[in-house]
Amino acid sequence: MRTPLEVLRVELLQLARDRRALFSAVVLPALLYPLLFLGMGKLESVGEETMAERTIKARMDLEGVADATREAFLAAFVDEGPVTIEDVDASRLSALEDDEERRLAAREILGLDGDESSADVLVVGVQDDGAAGQERMTFDLWYNVKNDDSQEGRSRARGALRDLEKEVAIQRREELLGGDPAAGLDAAEEDVATAEDTSGAALGKWLPFIVLLVMISGGAYAALAVFAGEREAGTLETLLVQPVDHRSIATGKFLAVFVAGTATLLVNLGSLVACVVSGIADMDAFGGASGGISAGRLAALGVELPACLLLCAVLCLVCGRAKTFREGQLLVFPVTLLTALPTAIVLRPDAELSVFWAMVPFSGSGLALRDGLAGDLSLPLAALVVASHLGWTWLALVRLAGILDAEKVLGGGGDAKAESHLQQAGGRHGVRWGFAVVMTVYLIAMSVQRVDIDVGLWFTFWVLLPAFALAIAWTAPRAEGERRNLAGALGLQLPRLAHVAGALLMVPALTKGALWLGEWQQHVFPYPPGIEAQMNGMEAFLGTASTMWLVFFFAISPGVTEELVFRGSLLSAMKRDWTWPRIMAWQALYFALVHADLYRLLPTGIMGALLTLIALRARSVLPTIALHVAYNAVLVLGAAERLPFSDAEWFEYAPWAAIPGVLLFVLVPPRAKAEPKKDRDVD
């Protein structure tokens, strides 16, 4: 224990020497909170006062509106703020049918395209020829969104119309019905929750984010300094060649990051509390909370401590792998996203802390803190959250120690080829490209699909993904003198026919397992109430689309192109350096994320890991293409009720075919691994 504490002491002293960075990362954000809240309040009040005092120039054509209505509207409009009103004739607008012609005519009436003075808003009122007492009035508001005064004029006109609508509605009910027939159904609402319950429930939605984001701010500063900074300065290798256990070094550096992050968190939380207590920050901004929080409920912050430990361990792991300080800085943002996404579960009112969620990093701690602030935290579940997060932290620290041990070996020298292997160029290549694939599908492919589903699917499956597969394979790292083998980098080696047959035999069992897993997931992570309409729409779509269209776009296209990317080029890069379990974990993560469906993450991730295992065993992507195409075809045709053999008696026993399928992979060895060809030396 002495060595980690000594490393902790040295690292903290080094962090303290850089006073400017320490002040910027830890102290400055806390000092900015009062300025932020004061500035926001001042700007908001000044903005509202300034806009309220501006004189708005309005042009109106209210000849088609009843006199009483016109007078009431003008009175309400004047009450909204200073205004100058000019009567105009806008009757030609109603005679125009083309929207573009109407827009140009409105601009001309407003004076936006001429040299004369322009108006801010144009109000045109029209009344239909309904029965006496039942006339309906329509007001058209024309404004210029680029002009602040024009938007203010629109806002005042809408406010005046809302007031007028209330008066007219009351008057009409009195004239036609003698009063409001639903008045006896008015509901009187009374909130029985205490002020503390209200405050706790409101803070529980935001405090988990604040804690983790502030922890990242201070922890990232320290992690970058003690890992990436020392590596760039060359002092990390000097430390690692000392006769000290690398696990002690990892522990000491981790504790330094945790101390820095905790100090930042305490200082910032103290500043936030001071702002709230002093009245600088209004608690209404946190969802209407107005009461204090008891010390007992604030003790729920203790359940966030293991999450903070895990976050610091992840920061150490990420920055420990960075070669330069700049590379480490670029990796902090993905860590922030990966932390915020699971924490966002606290914003779902239907999400409850369960055994499953207690095991999920950051989701369990966020839900536990939310329930604790609301006074509903169960101690057994809280203990499970603490235990699971401590377990995840231990795994991250074990991995961190392994990285530092590898760094020690790397510091010992070696030839260029060995050094390149220890730097895991292939694995890094796969991780970076995998992230690029996922983000490109999110940002580009899905945007195109929303505009036109057919064009979007063609673009995604037969343009974007093949381009990624070729780019990843072409840029894959090679040993010195090794020739580029594009087919091999895509995983297109000829497999054993037994492995293709084995993959197809697994399809019935996998589809049945996916359906069962989906039903089980509903008990743990049910669909939100509003998603039924989307699912019904998808079922209707499946029922109207042709069978060929469904098979091509939902089975053949993803089965071929997704496999060429994930089990082809990405897998070929990763397996140069990594073990099978690590490859399967990354493949499962990326394959689950690229499908962008929170409710299919688990089954899709498991499928991705299984396909990876098959590709690794067969040493080819072709068996996984066959399995993927058949699996998707069975699922989509089954959902559309077009599976031709679904009613056959033998289909009930089809999942048992997975047993001989697995045996084929176990008993039949793969084809011999081809040695990479090297370029011939030229004298």
Side-chain angles (χ1 to χ4, degrees), residues 622-643:
L622 297 180
T624 65
I625 290 178
L627 189 153
H628 198 158
V629 170
Y631 171 84
N632 280 12
V634 172
L635 283 180
V636 72
L637 293 180
E641 298 181 352
R642 301 183 196 177
L643 198 60

Side-chain angles (χ1 to χ4, degrees), residues 142-416:
W142 301 86
Y143 67 100
N144 182 11
V145 72
K146 295 191 300 183
N147 185 280
D148 292 339
D149 288 344
S150 184
Q151 293 196 63
E152 174 66 15
R154 179 196 63 166
S155 177
R156 293 185 188 180
R158 292 178 66 177
L161 288 173
R162 282 193 296 268
D163 295 340
L164 178 61
E165 182 182 11
K166 293 178 182 178
E167 295 179 6
V168 171
I170 294 174
Q171 180 182 353
R172 288 287 178 86
R173 284 193 292 266
E174 289 290 340
E175 293 175 354
L176 299 176
L177 304 173
D180 188 355
L185 302 178
D186 288 343
E189 298 181 358
E190 292 291 341
D191 187 3
V192 298
T194 64
E196 184 181 21
D197 288 338
T198 305
S199 298
L203 287 176
K205 296 179 180 179
W206 304 108
L207 202 55
F209 290 100
I210 294 175
V211 169
L212 293 179
L213 293 178
V214 172
M215 198 75 184
I216 288 177
S217 175
Y221 142 74
L224 287 169
V226 303
F227 287 102
E230 289 190 16
R231 182 203 291 272
E232 197 167 27
T235 58
L236 183 60
E237 287 78 4
T238 304
L239 175 62
L240 292 174
V241 297
Q242 303 301 318
V244 180
D245 185 7
H246 58 276
R247 289 172 293 187
S248 299
I249 297 175
T251 303
K253 288 181 173 292
F254 162 72
L255 291 176
V257 173
F258 178 68
V259 169
T262 304
T264 307
L265 179 61
L266 293 177
V267 171
N268 282 265
L269 284 180
S271 177
L272 281 173
V273 171
C275 290
V276 172
V277 171
S278 62
I280 297 177
D282 190 357
M283 289 289 287
D284 288 339
F286 293 97
S290 58
I293 303 293
S294 66
R297 295 195 182 187
L298 285 177
L301 283 168
V303 83
E304 278 289 296
L305 183 61
C308 293
L309 285 168
L310 175 58
L311 179 58
C312 290
V314 172
L315 287 172
C316 291
L317 198 59
V318 170
C319 295
R321 298 178 63 87
K323 297 179 181 179
T324 63
F325 196 89
R326 178 176 293 181
E327 182 182 349
Q329 287 178 312
L330 294 175
L331 293 173
V332 171
F333 180 66
V335 172
T336 305
L337 288 180
L338 291 175
T339 303
L341 284 175
T343 306
I345 191 67
V346 302
L347 300 178
R348 285 190 51 184
D350 58 322
E352 298 180 356
L353 183 61
S354 61
V355 174
F356 172 79
W357 285 116
M359 303 292 291
V360 178
F362 304 116
S363 293
S365 60
L367 290 172
L369 178 57
R370 187 189 71 176
D371 291 352
L373 292 173
D376 300 326
L377 182 60
S378 167
L379 288 180
L381 287 177
L384 183 58
V385 169
V386 172
S388 66
H389 282 66
L390 290 178
W392 289 113
T393 304
W394 177 79
L395 290 175
L397 290 179
V398 170
R399 182 58 190 155
L400 177 64
I403 290 176
L404 293 183
D405 188 43
E407 292 286 351
K408 183 175 180 179
V409 176
L410 180 60
D415 58 22

Side-chain angles (χ1 to χ4, degrees), residues 15 35 62 128 195 244 249 279 284 288 456 561 606 656 683:
L15 291 174
L35 296 177
L62 304 179
D128 64 16
V244 180
I249 297 175
D284 288 339
T561 58
I606 293 174
W656 292 101
D683 295 333

Side-chain angles (χ1 to χ4, degrees), residues 481-567:
E482 181 183 351
R483 290 184 181 180
R484 181 180 284 109
N485 181 5
L486 195 58
L490 289 171
L492 293 175
Q493 299 89 342
L494 190 64
R496 299 282 189 185
L497 291 179
H499 290 162
V500 177
L504 293 175
L505 289 173
M506 295 181 188
V507 171
L510 291 176
T511 54
K512 191 175 183 66
L515 295 175
W516 175 85
L517 190 60
E519 294 177 358
W520 172 83
Q521 185 174 272
Q522 284 302 299
H523 299 287
V524 180
F525 188 26
Y527 291 127
I531 204 172
E532 287 83 359
Q534 299 180 14
M535 296 182 66
N536 293 335
M538 176 57 70
E539 291 178 0
F541 172 76
L542 292 177
T544 56
S546 68
T547 302
M548 287 298 299
W549 193 95
L550 292 175
V551 171
F552 181 75
F553 280 119
F554 286 167
I556 297 176
S557 297
V560 174
T561 58
E562 288 179 3
E563 290 306 306
L564 287 176
V565 172
F566 290 97
R567 262 64 63 181

